[in-house]
Amino acid sequence: SYSAQWLSSWVARFIRPLPDAQQQELAALVTRRRQLLTMLGAERLRLQLATVKVRPSIDALIEAIRAQLEDIDAQMQAHLQEHFAALDDLLRSARGIGPIASATLIATLPELGRLSRREISALVGVAPMANDSGTSHGRRRITGGRFQVRRVLYMATLTATIHNPTIKAHYQRLLAAGKLPKVALVACMRRLLTMLNAMVRTQRRWSDEFHRA
């Protein structure tokens, strides 16, 4: 029946697409890079508390991790160019989206371009959720979603509030309206994500004039 077909179509929109082999490889590289960054941060903390005797060992490990990071970054970029060049170019046409953000979105958010702006925001975890109980109405907050995507989107948005005229203007308007910086930044994360979602869906590169309108 029509209703059954509609329900099947609606449910299919929320089923995460199975990653192909190239996407799995990219996701593995993104994960490994994140692991190396965690290791690097831990060694840097140890260095702050280290005695003179153990400092050379920590310094050597830090240099080794940095070398591994450079190698992973090179592999990631080569993989993107070989398998996802068009999508990478599309995403990176938005100022604020660099190579790491693009790789993370491609690897871990295959729904980009397939969902509505509200759906993609909820999926990533940047949609404001009610915090109400009975007659008490708390401040809305973001929760759940894909933390790794949200983290890289946060860093991309920080850059965009400086270098992307559309996001920068939106951020400044929110601050002028009395929004807290954190609240304004989350709103900008949501706006950037929904714009990227529309770009992928329409296969249209970023345009300051179009997005400002």
Side-chain angles (χ1 to χ4, degrees):
S1 66
Y2 174 79
S3 59
Q5 291 177 347
W6 177 86
L7 180 60
S8 177
S9 175
W10 184 82
V11 170
R13 298 176 68 190
F14 295 92
I15 297 176
R16 186 171 184 171
L18 291 174
D20 57 26
Q22 290 77 25
Q23 193 176 43
Q24 289 177 354
E25 287 292 337
L26 182 59
L29 290 168
V30 169
T31 298
R32 184 55 184 162
R33 186 181 191 277
R34 185 171 65 249
Q35 292 168 348
L36 288 169
L37 285 174
T38 300
M39 293 165 60
L40 182 60
E43 290 303 311
R44 283 173 171 168
L45 287 175
R46 292 187 183 100
L47 187 63
Q48 295 177 10
L49 303 174
T51 63
V52 175
K53 287 288 187 181
V54 300
R55 277 179 173 269
S57 173
I58 298 175
D59 284 332
L61 188 52
I62 286 175
E63 288 305 311
I65 295 172
R66 285 174 174 165
Q68 285 290 309
L69 276 169
E70 290 180 3
D71 182 60
I72 288 289
D73 284 346
Q75 289 186 55
M76 242 178 7
Q77 292 313 303
H79 192 83
L80 282 170
Q81 287 304 304
E82 183 177 358
H83 300 290
F84 302 101
L87 181 54
D88 179 54
D89 181 65
L90 179 69
L91 291 173
R92 291 178 63 178
S93 67
R95 273 168 283 184
I97 301 298
I100 305 306
S102 177
T104 303
L105 289 169
I106 293 170
T108 61
L109 193 62
E111 297 89 351
L112 196 65
R114 299 175 67 243
L115 304 179
S116 72
R117 60 185 180 86
R118 291 183 179 179
E119 291 164 352
I120 200 72
S121 296
L123 184 64
V124 174
V126 293
M129 299 297 180
N131 185 24
D132 303 334
S133 178
T135 58
S136 175
H137 300 283
R139 178 177 295 171
R140 288 176 171 255
R141 55 191 176 88
I142 60 173
T143 184
R146 295 182 188 165
F147 173 73
Q148 298 304 333
V149 177
R150 192 163 63 250
R151 182 167 65 176
V152 79
L153 183 64
Y154 173 83
M155 298 305 298
T157 305
L158 280 178
T159 302
T161 58
I162 300 173
H163 299 292
N164 186 310
T166 303
I167 300 301
K168 180 179 181 179
H170 186 55
Y171 183 65
Q172 291 176 340
R173 281 196 300 270
L174 292 170
L175 293 179
K179 299 294 184 182
L180 295 173
K182 183 178 180 180
V183 174
L185 188 61
V186 171
C188 288
M189 288 170 63
R190 186 163 56 252
R191 181 156 190 174
L192 179 58
L193 176 64
T194 58
M195 287 176 171
L196 294 172
N197 190 57
M199 287 166 59
V200 176
R201 183 174 61 249
T202 62
Q203 292 298 293
R204 183 170 183 171
R205 289 169 57 84
W206 182 279
S207 166
D208 287 333
E209 291 74 19
F210 172 74
H211 286 102
R212 189 178 297 116

